[in-house]
């Protein structure tokens, strides 16, 4: 029993005992807080910290300041309305001829190439030739560089330099939404052939919605059957649901390739029963992605539903029936609303896992079925474009947070996380 200052027995305790009681409560509270400190440090250092560092890459813009430092500083005073003066051209020439900046200059050239295709060859080609033209650079750097490559006399290339000279940039976040900043400073849509990321994001969200919906339609009757079934049958069904967790994700996905291929089990049965004349294309397309993802993610929908359904007293349905409600009406008006926390938690968990899937769509999907996780890995590992990978991750995280907030307002954050009943 907890004794508080409002409890009648509190007034009967002496002042010394009250002080000792308060010290004991504070000591226990301090010990309980200290016990969770390692967990909080673990989450902060190994979970939240790396995520924040990764997301910060979406706005960082250090390449030009490291590869062309004198030019980047000179561009701060350039208004951008006409070609720069000889001083800025001389700063560019000095940076291009500095052999110590070669690795950083290559990174800056790659960064500029994101905005203007061909900029990397302009930077690297000019750097190779400018070492033999020091006398001409000293006399007239502007005319010498434009004579070296006419693109140095075009404003779009200088506007790209000016945008890349800023320590922070919105380039990656805008590019992740198929947007860009034009030479006048306005945000506009990218060229039609470069608009791919919004379609990829919408595709990822659509695939996740379909997978979540199918999982819910399968999981709801399965979870309900586990509640009403006997103990032995309940154990059998539960083991059947948990069995996939005992094998790796890669093995489970590869198994579907064997089952769904043209010479696989499904096509053998269909052709053996003369239901189809030719084997169906069941793999390396959207159908294969749906089948494999539903199979892998189904336990994440069943278990939250089963947990909530188990706590619903059967007497509620009997009471609804005794008051004249038909079975469908009792289910719709009484049972289904009480399972809403399980539906919300299961849908949220399944959708979040589905929208970030990478391995399964990469193995069983076609070229038009790859999801946003594939492109995050592509920009991280293959292109080494961490800014773009971080921007796509930021957009994906924003979508998930928006879903969480929206679902939380409808179902209740406390009910989703199991605090409120």
């Amino acid at each position: 029993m907890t004794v508080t200052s409002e409890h009648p027995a509190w007034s009967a305790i002496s002042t010394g005992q009250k002080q000792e009681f308060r010290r004991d409560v504070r000591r226990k509270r301090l010990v309980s807080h200290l016990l969770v400190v390692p967990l909080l440090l673990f989450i902060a250092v190994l979970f939240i910290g790396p995520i924040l560092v990764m997301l910060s890459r979406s706005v960082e813009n250090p390449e030009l300041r490291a590869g062309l430092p004198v030019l980047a500083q000179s561009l701060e005073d350039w208004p951008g309305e006409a070609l720069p003066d000889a001083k800025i051209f001389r700063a560019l020439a000095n940076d291009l001829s500095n052999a110590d900046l070669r690795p950083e200059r290559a990174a800056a050239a790659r960064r500029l190439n994101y905005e203007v295709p061909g900029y990397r060859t302009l930077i690297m080609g000019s750097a190779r030739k400018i070492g033999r033209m020091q006398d001409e650079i000293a006399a007239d750097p502007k005319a010498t560089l434009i004579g070296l490559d006419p693109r140095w006399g075009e404003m779009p290339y200088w506007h790209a330099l000016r945008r890349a000279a800023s320590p922070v940039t919105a380039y990656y976040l805008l590019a992740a939404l198929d947007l860009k900043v034009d030479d006048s400073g306005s945000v506009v849509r990218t060229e039609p052939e470069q608009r791919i990321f919004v379609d990829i994001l919408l595709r990822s969200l659509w695939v996740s919605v379909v997978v979540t919906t199918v999982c819910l339609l399968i999981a709801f009757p399965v979870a309900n059957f586990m509640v009403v079934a006997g103990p032995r049958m309940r154990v059998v069904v539960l083991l059947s649901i948990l069995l996939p967790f005992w094998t790796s994700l890669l093995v489970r996905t590869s198994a579907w390739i064997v089952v769904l291929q043209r010479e696989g089990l499904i096509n053998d049965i269909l052709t053996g029963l003369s239901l189809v004349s030719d084997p169906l294309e069941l793999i390396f397309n959207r159908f294969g992605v749906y089948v494999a993802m539903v199979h892998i993610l189904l336990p994440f929908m069943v278990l939250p539903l089963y947990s909530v359904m188990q706590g619903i007293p059967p007497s509620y349905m009997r009471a609804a029936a005794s008051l004249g409600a038909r079975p469908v009406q009792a289910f719709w008006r009484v049972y289904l609303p009480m399972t809403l926390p399980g539906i919300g938690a299961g849908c949220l968990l399944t959708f979040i896992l589905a929208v970030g899937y990478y391995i399964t769509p990469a193995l069983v999907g076609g070229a038009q079925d790859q999801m946003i996780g594939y492109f995050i890995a592509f920009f991280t590992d293959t292109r080494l474009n961490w800014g773009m990978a971080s921007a796509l991750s930021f957009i994906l995280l924003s979508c998930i947070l928006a879903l969480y907030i929206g679902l939380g307002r409808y179902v209740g954050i406390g009910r989703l996380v199991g605090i409120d009943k």
Side-chain angles (χ1 to χ4, degrees):
M1 181 181 69
T2 302
V3 179
T4 63
S5 57
E6 291 80 16
H7 196 278
W10 181 257
S11 57
I13 302 175
S14 66
T15 303
Q17 289 175 322
K18 291 178 180 177
Q19 292 175 349
E20 179 65 25
F21 176 76
R22 291 193 181 100
R23 282 196 295 271
D24 185 58
V25 170
R26 286 196 296 269
R27 185 169 57 251
K28 291 180 178 177
R29 188 174 299 167
L30 177 62
V31 170
S32 64
H33 289 168
L34 290 176
L35 288 175
V36 299
V37 166
L39 174 62
L40 296 177
L41 287 175
F42 178 84
I43 294 175
V45 174
L46 298 179
F47 183 69
I48 297 177
I51 290 177
L52 294 178
V53 171
M54 181 63 186
L55 293 181
S56 68
R57 296 296 185 99
S58 63
V59 295
E60 287 182 351
N61 200 28
E63 292 87 354
L64 194 77
R65 288 180 169 270
L68 303 171
V70 181
L71 174 66
Q73 189 173 3
S74 302
L75 287 174
E76 293 178 356
D77 301 326
W78 179 51
E81 298 173 352
L83 278 179
D85 56 18
K87 178 184 174 183
I88 295 180
F89 270 92
R90 193 181 305 280
L92 172 61
N94 291 336
D95 283 337
L96 291 176
S97 60
N98 190 341
D100 296 335
L101 296 174
R102 190 171 299 168
E104 293 82 1
R105 191 162 54 237
R110 187 169 61 247
R111 164 67 180 85
L112 290 166
N113 203 65
Y114 296 154
E115 296 210 23
V116 182
Y119 219 130
R120 186 176 184 278
T121 59
L122 174 60
I123 293 285
M124 305 309 289
S126 299
R128 282 195 299 271
K129 299 174 183 175
I130 205 167
R132 303 188 296 270
M133 307 175 69
Q134 292 303 314
D135 294 338
E136 293 87 341
I137 291 294
D140 190 348
K142 185 173 182 177
T144 303
L145 279 169
I146 294 176
L148 186 65
D149 195 315
R151 287 178 290 182
W152 289 122
E154 298 178 12
M155 288 299 293
Y157 288 85
W158 284 97
H159 284 145
L161 274 174
R162 188 164 178 250
R163 290 193 296 269
S166 174
V168 295
T169 180
Y171 168 76
Y172 297 112
L173 291 173
L174 291 175
L177 296 172
D178 293 340
L179 300 173
K180 69 175 184 178
V181 177
D182 63 7
D183 294 340
S184 64
S186 303
V187 177
V188 297
R189 298 189 70 186
T190 56
E191 288 73 16
E193 64 273 12
Q194 298 178 353
R195 297 171 191 168
I196 59 172
F197 296 114
V198 171
D199 290 340
I200 293 170
L201 178 63
L202 294 178
R203 181 197 308 160
S204 303
L205 296 175
W206 173 249
V207 170
S208 303
V209 168
V210 172
V211 170
T212 303
T213 304
V214 175
C215 284
L216 177 61
L217 294 177
I218 297 175
F220 198 95
V222 171
N224 187 64
F225 176 77
M226 290 170 59
V227 173
V228 300
R232 289 187 178 179
M233 182 58 70
R234 186 180 305 157
V235 171
V236 171
V237 177
L238 190 60
L239 286 177
S240 302
I241 294 171
L242 296 178
L243 193 61
F245 284 120
W246 298 354
T247 56
S248 73
L249 176 64
L250 188 60
V251 172
R252 280 177 280 167
T253 304
S254 301
W256 279 111
I257 298 177
V258 176
V259 173
L260 296 177
Q261 62 183 330
R262 288 179 64 86
E263 297 79 16
L265 178 64
I266 301 297
N267 273 316
D268 286 348
I269 294 175
L270 293 177
T271 53
L273 296 175
S274 300
L275 296 177
V276 295
S277 56
D278 296 322
L280 300 176
E281 297 293 341
L282 302 176
I283 201 68
F284 307 126
N285 51 29
R286 190 68 58 86
F287 178 79
V289 174
Y290 287 148
V291 171
M293 289 183 66
V294 166
H295 167 249
I296 293 170
L297 294 174
L298 187 59
F300 297 99
M301 183 68 80
V302 172
L303 296 179
L305 279 172
Y306 172 67
S307 175
V308 171
M309 290 179 178
Q310 205 176 21
I312 300 176
S315 58
Y316 287 6
M317 292 293 288
R318 292 196 296 268
S322 66
L323 293 173
R326 297 176 179 176
V328 174
Q329 191 177 12
F331 170 80
W332 188 257
R333 302 288 297 274
V334 177
Y335 192 73
L336 185 62
M338 297 189 72
T339 62
L340 204 55
I343 294 175
C347 289
L348 186 64
L349 186 61
T350 305
F351 183 86
I352 290 175
L353 292 173
V355 78
Y357 249 47
Y358 162 54
I359 294 179
T360 302
L363 291 180
V364 301
Q368 298 300 318
D369 306 310
Q370 301 307 315
M371 299 171 66
I372 195 169
Y374 171 86
F375 290 91
I376 293 173
F378 172 74
F379 282 110
T380 303
D381 299 332
T382 306
R383 296 290 299 274
L384 300 180
N385 187 349
W386 289 15
M388 199 65 216
S390 175
L392 291 174
S393 303
F394 181 84
I395 299 299
L396 179 60
L397 181 62
S398 300
C399 292
I400 293 174
L401 288 177
L403 171 70
Y404 188 81
I405 293 172
L407 196 59
R409 291 187 63 180
Y410 182 66
V411 179
I413 297 293
R415 301 179 76 179
L416 285 178
V417 300
I419 297 175
D420 301 333
K421 301 295 183 183

